[in-house]
Amino acid sequence: MKAPAFFATAEPVGNDAPIGFDMFEAIMRLAKRDLADSLAILYPAFQEYPFPSSLDASPLRDAEKILTALKSAPLRELDAAELGNYAASAITTVGSTDDFRHFLPRILHCAVLNASAYGFEPPIIASKLLLCDWRQWPVAKQTAVAKFFLFSLGL
C-alpha cells in the first residue's frame, strides 16, 4: 500500500505540515533500536534475581494465582495481562524487593508498550522503585533503570 501523497512530502508546507512518511519511518526505526539497546542492558542487570518459588502476600491477594500467572511464560515473553496484577501489587501487598527486581525489566518493558495498563502506570512503577530504595542499589542496576527511563522519555 502506498502512503498518501501528503505523507510523502519532505518539505514543510507551513507550521502545521505533517512529518514526512520517510521521517516517521526513520524515527520509528531509531525508537525500536533505542528500546532494544536499553533492554539489552536492563535484563542482564537483574538476571541474578531468581524467579520466586513463592510469594508472600496480604490475605487480600491470591499469591498462588499471581504466581501461576507469572509462571505462564519466560520473563521476556510474559504478557502484560499476566504480569499486571503482580506489578500493581508488588512490594506493597505481594512479594519482596528481590521479587520485584526479578520482574522489573519486564515491568518496565511492558510499561513502554502498555503505559496505561493496570500495574504499568509510570507513577506506580516510580513509587515502587522508591519503596525498594533503588538509589542504594549497585551502580550498574541504577544505571540500567535510569537509561531505560531516559529512553522511554525520549531523551
Side-chain angles (χ1 to χ4, degrees):
M1 172 189 249
K2 187 173 173 151
F6 64 88
F7 280 115
T9 182
E11 297 185 350
V13 187
N15 291 340
D16 296 327
I19 294 176
F21 188 74
D22 291 339
M23 184 174 287
F24 175 78
E25 288 293 317
I27 291 168
M28 291 305 294
R29 277 193 304 277
L30 288 173
K32 286 178 183 178
R33 187 198 67 207
D34 290 348
L35 175 60
D37 290 349
S38 62
L39 291 173
I41 296 167
L42 190 62
Y43 279 96
F46 292 90
Q47 70 185 4
E48 72 186 72
Y49 299 100
F51 186 93
S53 57
S54 64
L55 292 172
D56 291 328
S58 155
L60 301 174
R61 302 283 180 213
D62 186 343
E64 286 304 314
K65 183 178 177 182
I66 293 170
L67 193 59
T68 299
L70 296 173
K71 290 179 184 177
S72 68
L75 183 61
R76 288 180 186 244
E77 299 169 19
L78 198 56
D79 189 282
E82 280 80 33
L83 186 56
N85 280 335
Y86 170 77
S89 305
I91 303 171
T92 54
T93 57
V94 176
S96 68
T97 298
D98 282 350
D99 297 337
F100 181 69
R101 288 177 185 170
H102 172 80
F103 293 105
L104 182 59
R106 188 61 183 165
I107 290 170
L108 292 172
H109 190 179
C110 287
V112 168
L113 303 174
N114 308 291
S116 64
Y118 181 65
F120 302 107
E121 302 92 336
I124 299 296
I125 296 169
S127 70
K128 299 202 182 284
L129 285 167
L130 290 173
L131 283 172
C132 62
D133 207 14
W134 80 285
R135 298 302 287 167
Q136 299 305 313
W137 293 354
V139 172
K141 289 171 181 37
Q142 290 184 51
T143 302
V145 171
K147 283 185 177 185
F148 192 83
F149 273 108
L150 289 174
F151 155 76
S152 65
L153 294 172
L155 302 174

